[in-house]
Amino acid sequence: DVKVTQSSRYLVKRTGEKVFLECVQDMDHENMFWYRQDPGLGLRLIYFSYDVKMKEKGDIPEGYSVSREKKERFSLILESASTNQTSMYLCASTPGGNYGYTFGSGTRLTVV
Amino acid sequence: AQSVTQLDSQVPVFEEAPVELRCNYSSSVSVYLFWYVQYPNQGLQLLLKYLSGSTLVKGINGFEAEFNKSQTSFHLRKPSVHISDTAEYFCAVSERVQGAQKLVFGQGTRLTINP
């Protein structure tokens, strides 16, 4: 089975901190994604990557950046955390085509 | 751009009753549709998908969904639910963007099974 691993289940950070959320997949997938999940809003795409060092903005990229230096790892960076970035963050990967995504278990981030 | 609307934010049902979770998508020439389930404190898991062919799609855990092109719907059904089906369910449509297949999700439907 494909595994997508997010390094932290729960994180508490202070306003203004730089925050790194890490995601690693073990099946050589081309495409990786970062979503945030908020009640009543479903999942919204922040950034995605279809190859190493390639990145594309999703629907809500403001306040975030990403890094993909190796194929298996996709990092989400909050440059200066704010309270409105308190959310559940989900990473996903797919080989491409329409196989559907494999999701990680999520990181619940609280910014205080 | 594609969009997905899940018509019910919460659906309470009794155990062993049938259930239907409704999903409508914006029209497109070709469309690929998915249902995902999220159990408490977990990531999302694929229930089923429609890519082409038969409009009735069977998935895991006894769920099925019917693709209806004329009504732009992809409703999820189960004839008899269990307590263990309590979860949040997400409908999604796939669109191709910049070399990747992006999923656009609905707002989610929280299914609560009462004994």
Side-chain angles (χ1 to χ4, degrees):
Chain A
D1 274 356
V2 177
K3 274 194 83 173
V4 176
T5 304
Q6 295 183 231
S7 53
S8 305
R9 287 302 306 274
Y10 301 94
L11 272 181
V12 180
K13 296 291 181 181
R14 294 193 184 280
T15 301
E17 271 193 81
K18 190 169 186 175
V19 181
F20 293 84
L21 303 184
E22 305 288 347
C23 175
V24 177
Q25 50 96 2
D26 65 359
M27 278 300 287
D28 204 37
H29 282 178
E30 302 292 331
N31 303 327
M32 296 187 75
F33 304 81
W34 275 106
Y35 285 86
R36 65 176 280 177
Q37 180 182 7
D38 300 288
L41 297 177
L43 279 74
R44 294 178 292 166
L45 182 63
I46 305 171
Y47 267 95
F48 64 98
S49 167
Y50 55 88
D51 202 350
V52 176
K53 296 192 187 291
M54 304 303 289
K55 57 188 178 186
E56 293 290 338
K57 292 180 180 179
D59 301 315
I60 51 163
E62 296 78 20
Y64 303 95
S65 62
V66 290
S67 171
R68 195 168 180 199
E69 296 297 317
K70 294 184 177 182
K71 194 173 188 179
E72 67 269 20
R73 185 180 296 270
F74 191 37
S75 303
L76 179 69
I77 304 156
L78 285 66
E79 298 291 343
S80 176
S82 65
T83 55
N84 63 13
Q85 293 178 309
T86 291
S87 186
M88 170 71 91
Y89 290 87
L90 290 164
C91 175
S93 74
T94 179
N98 281 301
Y99 292 96
Y101 292 4
T102 299
F103 281 87
S105 299
T107 296
R108 188 168 293 280
L109 173 68
T110 302
V111 182
V112 297
Chain B
Q2 297 274 12
S3 66
V4 176
T5 301
Q6 291 183 242
L7 295 155
D8 306 293
S9 60
Q10 296 189 64
V11 173
V13 295
F14 287 107
E15 195 172 16
E16 298 183 10
V19 70
E20 178 180 81
L21 306 184
R22 298 180 293 167
C23 171
N24 285 94
Y25 62 92
S26 56
S27 180
S28 181
V29 175
S30 62
V31 62
Y32 308 106
L33 294 156
F34 302 79
W35 274 99
Y36 283 82
V37 60
Q38 185 180 34
Y39 298 106
N41 298 314
Q42 294 187 28
L44 274 70
Q45 178 182 351
L46 181 65
L47 264 182
L48 50 79
K49 60 185 176 183
Y50 171 79
L51 303 182
S52 65
S54 172
T55 57
L56 185 62
V57 180
K58 293 194 183 297
I60 62 172
N61 300 339
F63 283 93
E64 62 183 30
E66 184 154 21
F67 171 61
N68 187 321
K69 189 173 183 178
S70 63
Q71 297 189 7
T72 61
S73 68
F74 190 54
H75 300 335
L76 180 71
R77 300 184 183 107
K78 186 169 182 178
S80 175
V81 293
H82 276 206
I83 292 281
S84 59
D85 293 322
T86 294
E88 190 148 22
Y89 292 80
F90 291 94
C91 181
V93 64
S94 174
E95 64 177 4
R96 188 154 187 87
V97 177
Q98 297 284 0
Q101 212 69 28
K102 167 185 154 182
L103 284 183
V104 177
F105 287 86
Q107 301 91 329
T109 298
R110 186 169 296 280
L111 177 63
T112 303
I113 312 300
N114 298 307

